[in-house]
Amino acid sequence: MFNLGDLVKVAEYCPLEDYAGKVGIVTATLGPDYTMANELGYHYNFDSTDRPESCYHRIMLSDGSAYIFPTAELILMSKAERKTNESR
């Protein structure tokens, strides 16, 4: 799963060909993708307390536009570094 500020690339196999290969920053995680199947081919168990591996993320692309992509269509390029403000 991606965190806020992570640098990601839209995968080449993304069905939206206009966005394939574009780079952007994760600006929000919008929630789980319950349509993804697990390794056995079954869909997510809604009664389970486990969180699904796939979520939807809002990505701000380099041109300033923002779009929503599932985890499966994104490739992590760089993790965001969190700095603490110890001078306060």
Side-chain angles (χ1 to χ4, degrees):
M1 187 174 332
F2 303 109
N3 295 316
L4 297 179
D6 288 351
L7 184 65
V8 295
K9 179 180 177 182
V10 180
E12 297 295 332
Y13 51 82
C14 176
L16 304 172
E17 295 173 358
D18 292 342
Y19 303 107
K22 298 220 177 195
V23 175
I25 296 175
V26 176
T27 58
T29 298
L30 304 175
D33 180 5
Y34 292 110
T35 63
M36 298 300 291
N38 62 18
E39 63 276 357
L40 299 175
Y42 299 107
H43 289 288
Y44 181 76
N45 179 2
F46 288 96
D47 296 328
S48 173
T49 58
D50 297 334
R51 293 183 61 191
E53 294 291 322
S54 184
C55 291
Y56 288 103
H57 304 280
R58 184 175 59 216
I59 308 300
M60 182 181 295
L61 298 176
S62 57
D63 64 0
S65 60
Y67 297 95
I68 297 170
F69 294 96
T71 302
E73 294 177 1
L74 299 173
I75 300 167
L76 180 65
M77 295 181 69
S78 177
K79 294 293 281 180
E81 292 185 21
R82 304 279 189 253
K83 294 186 179 181
T84 59
N85 189 355
E86 297 177 3
S87 62
R88 290 185 176 191

